Amino acid sequence: QVQLIESGGGLVQAGGSLRLSCAASGLTFSMYAMGWFRQAPGKEREPVATILWSATTAYYADSVKGRFTISRDNAKNTVYLQMSSLKPEDTAVYYCAADGSFNRLSRGSAAYWGQGAQVTVSS
């Protein structure tokens, strides 16, 4: 049974930083592309950042480029999202996801999803 468990969400002031973590189990982590998605109230879920199994390639949504960094530790079966210079519009539920295809994941489809972590940025 595949599990993706997010942690690190919370409340932060605008301009602050947070780091999300996603611990994966039940899959061969090093064979999967991993990603972070988010869904704000009243909006559709959107990809934020994805990373290839080898960590040699990453994709970022235009809205987070230069502020967010995705990384992974295959030895720990964990993917991270470092978020800096946070804005109120970054407020959303952030989901961890895994898929065998980096391209498919970057387009928004995933084989596995986590339960989500709330990130709230106050102005």
Side-chain angles (χ1 to χ4, degrees):
Q1 180 182 358
V2 175
Q3 285 190 309
L4 303 177
I5 301 176
E6 301 97 339
S7 61
L11 174 65
V12 64
Q13 287 189 331
S17 299
L18 277 177
R19 188 176 82 154
L20 299 179
S21 300
C22 171
S25 61
L27 75 170
T28 305
F29 184 77
S30 61
M31 294 180 67
Y32 281 80
M34 299 296 297
W36 290 96
F37 294 72
R38 68 186 181 187
Q39 187 167 20
K43 295 187 177 181
E44 293 188 353
R45 185 159 54 189
E46 61 177 0
V48 174
T50 57
I51 188 167
L52 191 62
W53 64 272
S54 60
T56 53
T57 301
Y59 157 85
Y60 293 93
D62 288 343
S63 58
V64 306
K65 281 181 182 177
R67 300 188 299 120
F68 291 11
T69 301
I70 188 171
S71 62
R72 65 189 295 162
D73 186 336
N74 287 349
K76 295 183 178 180
N77 287 4
T78 302
V79 62
Y80 306 96
L81 185 68
Q82 179 66 49
M83 304 183 291
S84 303
S85 301
L86 282 160
K87 305 174 182 180
E89 51 264 43
D90 295 318
T91 295
V93 177
Y94 283 71
Y95 296 90
C96 176
D99 198 270
S101 166
F102 173 77
N103 289 335
R104 186 165 57 222
L105 189 65
S106 299
R107 290 194 298 268
S109 297
Y112 305 107
W113 294 92
Q115 292 299 306
Q118 177 70 46
V119 171
T120 302
V121 184
S122 63
S123 57

